[in-house]
């Protein structure tokens, strides 16, 4: 399923009238009250009637308006919870702003929580928001097992950027991470690099794993054997990255290029190279502020954060009986650092 499946582009055509519960009732040949009970997942609806209503919903493309439903229950505003890894990370702050803008279009409010790379705190945040009446959640999951969330079926949750381990039946909005890792590595290979280092954080995260898979796929397609001595895992902050970059550049056969799987790693590479005479090429995954100001500018794999947030909010407000997966496209932006040739 693609992002366009959630929100088709209409161009200059007028938007079609959105199907209503009354339309569903007419199509299914049932009462409006029966449709309301099915849509709101109320009990005491005969299985045959429920199937007729669900078939009509599917045929008409009806989607429940969560904000309107909440107002009908007497509440004044729909509240979304956003649980992220670390609000200090630019990815998280940009996501928070984009989710807030997407939610505002539905007259919904957003409350934020950051688990600061501690899976235990992530669970506390989610359960606390659930207990305090947050209507639905957007979660950037940690690498910990999320099977415990199956015990909260009443809480609508959409995961972004990563697949939640241990929770197969979940709505997820992902970046095209493998394609991005492949594009970054192919870009460096095309400039003549053969010793390309990979700098990443927790490879238990699906996003990191998929970006590394793209890196290895590109090397294999070019007939270049992956050298595990050039692969760095588990570094979460720029300071650690500077140490690892220095260590790699001091190898007897150092890398001539780097692929950083997130913006923090790319910033760490920049910091490391300030003190070094070498000028290796490098490409980062995730754009960041001032990336185009450096000399050379930082070549990155980027994506549309607005689309990512909008897709997550749309999934939340338009629940479906089966899990959905949306993939947001990525693009490589050449600014200079990824175009440096080998020495």
């Amino acid at each position: 399923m693609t992002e366009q499946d959630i929100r088709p582009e209409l161009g200059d055509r007028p938007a079609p009238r959105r199907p209503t519960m009354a339309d569903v009732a007419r199509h299914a040949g049932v009462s409006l009250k029966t449709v309301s009970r099915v849509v709101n997942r109320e009990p005491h609806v005969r299985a045959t009637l429920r199937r007729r209503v669900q078939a009509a919903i599917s045929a008409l493309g009806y989607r429940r308006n969560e904000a309107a439903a909440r107002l009908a229950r007497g509440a004044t505003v729909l509240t979304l919870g956003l649980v992220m890894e670390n609000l200090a990370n630019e990815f998280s702050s940009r996501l928070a702003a984009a989710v807030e803008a997407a939610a505002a279009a539905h007259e919904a409010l957003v409350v934020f929580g950051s688990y600061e790379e501690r899976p235990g705190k992530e669970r506390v945040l989610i359960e606390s928001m659930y207990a305090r009446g947050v209507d639905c959640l957007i979660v950037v999951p940690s690498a910990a097992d999320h099977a415990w969330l199956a015990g909260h079926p009443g809480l609508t949750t959409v995961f972004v950027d990563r697949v939640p381990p241990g929770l197969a039946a979940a709505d997820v909005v992902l970046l095209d991470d493998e394609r991005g890792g492949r594009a970054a590595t192919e870009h460096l290979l095309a400039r003549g690099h053969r010793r390309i280092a990979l700098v990443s954080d927790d490879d238990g995260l699906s996003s990191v794993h998929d970006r590394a898979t793209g890196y290895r796929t590109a090397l294999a397609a070019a007939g270049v054997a992956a050298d595990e001595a050039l692969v760095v895992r588990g570094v979460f902050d720029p300071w650690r990255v500077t140490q690892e970059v220095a260590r790699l550049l001091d190898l007897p056969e150092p890398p001539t290029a780097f692929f950083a799987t997130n913006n923090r790693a790319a910033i760490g590479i920049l910091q490391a190279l300030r003190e070094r005479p070498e000028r290796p090429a490098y490409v980062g995954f995730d754009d960041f502020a001032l990336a185009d100001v450096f000399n050379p500018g930082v070549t990155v794999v980027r994506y549309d954060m607005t689309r990512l947030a909008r897709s997550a909010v749309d999934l939340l407000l338009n629940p479906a009986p089966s899990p959905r997966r949306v993939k947001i496209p990525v693009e490589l932006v050449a600014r200079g650092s990824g175009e440096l040739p080998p020495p």
Side-chain angles (χ1 to χ4, degrees):
M1 188 172 192
T2 67
E3 191 263 350
Q4 286 77 14
D5 292 323
I6 301 302
R7 185 186 290 268
E9 295 299 331
L10 298 177
D12 295 327
R13 292 176 293 153
R17 184 177 71 84
R18 183 172 181 164
T20 66
M21 283 200 291
D23 296 325
V24 174
R26 282 191 295 270
H27 192 280
V30 300
S31 70
L32 185 59
K33 182 62 176 176
T34 298
V35 175
S36 176
R37 285 174 174 166
V38 173
V39 168
N40 290 294
R41 303 179 183 88
E42 295 179 15
H44 312 306
V45 179
R46 293 201 308 271
T48 53
L49 289 181
R50 189 179 298 277
R51 285 194 293 270
R52 279 165 59 184
V53 171
Q54 289 171 341
I57 286 172
S58 178
L60 296 177
Y62 170 80
R63 293 291 182 268
R64 169 171 136 151
N65 186 320
E66 289 289 338
R70 182 167 174 82
L71 289 172
R73 296 195 300 269
T76 57
V77 67
L78 181 74
T79 306
L80 312 183
L82 175 58
V83 176
M84 300 167 290
E85 185 179 55
N86 193 332
L87 193 55
N89 181 359
E90 187 171 340
F91 169 85
S92 296
S93 60
R94 289 173 56 221
L95 176 64
V99 167
E100 194 165 40
H106 300 274
E107 299 182 348
L109 295 179
V110 183
V111 293
F112 307 103
S114 172
Y115 57 87
E116 299 168 339
E117 299 163 3
R118 292 182 286 166
K121 186 177 179 182
E122 176 195 19
R123 180 166 181 169
V124 169
L125 278 172
I126 292 173
E127 291 187 328
S128 177
M129 288 186 179
Y130 179 71
R132 285 165 172 76
V134 168
D135 296 285
C136 42
L137 280 177
I138 294 174
V139 178
V140 181
S142 69
D145 192 330
H146 287 70
W148 61 272
L149 263 172
H152 295 288
L155 182 60
T156 303
T157 305
V158 171
F159 297 89
V160 298
D161 189 47
R162 306 159 182 172
V163 176
L167 196 65
D171 286 338
V172 187
V173 182
L174 300 171
L175 304 173
D176 198 344
D177 291 302
E178 184 172 347
R179 181 177 180 180
R182 188 171 68 247
T185 309
E186 287 173 347
H187 191 74
L188 295 168
L189 288 164
R191 271 70 191 170
H193 296 279
R194 292 299 178 267
R195 291 190 59 75
I196 303 172
L198 174 70
V199 183
S200 68
D201 50 16
D202 189 347
D203 54 8
L205 301 170
S206 66
S207 57
V208 176
H209 174 271
D210 290 349
R211 292 169 196 178
T213 297
Y215 159 84
R216 297 178 189 281
T217 299
L219 290 178
V224 177
D227 186 347
E228 292 303 316
L230 301 182
V231 175
V232 175
R233 302 180 180 87
V235 288
F236 293 93
D237 59 76
W239 178 77
R240 281 283 313 280
V241 173
T242 61
Q243 294 182 311
E244 292 297 327
V245 170
R247 180 184 63 80
L248 290 173
L249 291 175
D250 287 335
L251 291 174
E253 293 185 68
T256 64
F258 290 83
F259 169 45
T261 62
N262 58 50
N263 54 14
R264 290 170 296 182
I267 291 169
I269 291 171
L270 280 166
Q271 292 174 339
L273 296 182
R274 288 186 308 178
E275 312 298 329
R276 305 285 306 201
E278 301 93 339
R279 285 295 172 263
Y282 52 96
V283 177
F285 200 115
D286 289 335
D287 211 352
F288 58 94
L290 304 181
D292 58 346
V293 172
F294 292 95
N295 185 21
V298 182
T299 297
V300 298
V301 175
R302 73 178 180 189
Y303 46 89
D304 187 341
M305 183 65 82
T306 298
R307 289 178 72 174
L308 179 70
R310 185 186 64 193
S311 297
V313 171
D314 283 351
L315 287 178
L316 277 180
L317 300 184
N318 297 287
S322 57
R324 296 159 292 177
R325 185 165 295 192
V326 179
K327 188 168 287 188
I328 304 299
V330 300
E331 63 174 341
L332 189 137
V333 181
R335 295 192 179 117
S337 70
E339 293 69 64
L340 296 173

